[in-house]
Amino acid sequence: MSIVILDFGSQYTRLIARRFRELGTYSVILPGNAPLERIEQENPVGLVLSGGPSSVYDENAPRPADGVLDLSMPILGVCYGMQFLAHQAGGEVRRAGKREYGKADLTRYGGQLFEGIQGEFVAWMSHSDSVTQLPQGYEVVAETEDTPVTAIENPVTRRYGVQFHPEVVHTPKGGQLLANFLTICGAARDWTAAHIVEELIDEVKAQVGDGRVLLAISGGVDSSTLGLLLARAIGDRLTAVFIDHGLLRLGEREQVEAALTPLGVHLVTVDATQEFLGALTGVSDPEQKRKIIGREFIRAFEREAREYGPFDFLAQGTLYPDVIESAGGLSSDKSGAANIKSHHNVGGLPDDLAFKLVEPFRTLFKDEVREIAALLGLPDPVRMRHPFPGPGLGIRILGEVTPEKLDILKRVDDIFISGLREFGLYDTCSQALAVLTPIQSVGVMGDERTYSYTVALRAVTTGDFMTAEWARLPYDFLGTMSSRIVNQVHEVNRVVYDITGKPPATIEWE
């Protein structure tokens, strides 16, 4: 039982799926033109037509496949989806006299979608077209000052539409509206972390059978949680390989080992520091560094696969957003053999290294993985850790990577991240990092002149990492961090804070 969301190109489609899941109902995103047979495979009890940039009256406007709108289940149209429902039923949609973008107050609202909602209703608008004439059987159930037709419904056919985005945080009561739609659909609310874990374990057991599974552990929440899930499902037939390339944060290797080994994960830790740093000697170009680190990872991973193999399966922490971006929906084949390409999480294994893929998280969002991690006992320092790039500190040292520079950056990074935790600021940031620049400048320490490194601190807030704002950390905190870094890391005499958003900058410096 699920809610199927047909994607017509809205930037918020993923949020619709996440909101339904947060409300306890499994939801799936499929392409807007997904065949009827593909939709029915998901056993839906309700359908959502997403927003999108097109106009319904355009010649090549996207539309659902034949037979989809004839399904005898509730359908909710959001923005473009609402306009399409009105248009196909004989209504009229035209370019709005005034484009509405941003927050708007509903001047009135009612009907089944708004059941039980009281008080002010603020909605997030983003549209240039509007429904100007209702089709037969529909009624207006909400409006704003600039949009007379803000929400519509046909209670007989159970077709509903909203011109705003109920899924975004800018529509504070949008969750209540989506919950009402679930009630209309008669949807079950059993999509919980405990339910997910039970289903995933059963699926892994069925897929793997008596086979052996190889997993690359990065230290991040996805691969660490996957290690715990697989260990619970197949025990010591899992071999998890953690390659320490020497570019990790201070104490990170020990933290990963302490988090996973006591929980039953058969973890093999490989110290490949010398191989990686040797290959990076004399290399300053960022892309070249990335390629070298990826190549060395492949070599180290292959060595361990040969030593501890043979293996039947390769496990990966692929998430649902990756599936949506790469394939436009879920694959119906969850057990076929696959040659591992460079776009997979392990960094790009050779074409001739064939495994069957195990990807239990391919239907999950990051926040759902974190919930599973908590249920499986993953410690919070790993479970709630900020994203960390695969090349590690190698791309946070501008220019050549040397053991001396790594030592400096590890100590600076540890002071900054530990400070964020100490001052209760870590969870207010989406990602935080320190960068060692090649800039050396004059300073004074005591009565002596210094000529030492400049380090940059960076922290951002974001919901999707596609765009980001620089984090407004308190001045007192930044001052404290600067003093600690300069006093404790003698190779540094200047600290700067990056206040650039994304765009125009990226979150990482390289």
Side-chain angles (χ1 to χ4, degrees), residues 14 65 79 103 181 195 208 250 278 282 300 310 314 385 402:
R14 291 184 195 176
C79 290
K103 294 181 180 180
F181 181 67
H195 177 81
V208 172
L250 192 66
L314 177 69
R385 195 183 76 155
T402 67

Side-chain angles (χ1 to χ4, degrees), residues 415-427:
I415 292 170
F416 183 38
I417 299 302
S418 298
L420 286 169
R421 295 187 188 279
E422 176 189 342
F423 283 76
L425 296 169
Y426 185 82
D427 292 334

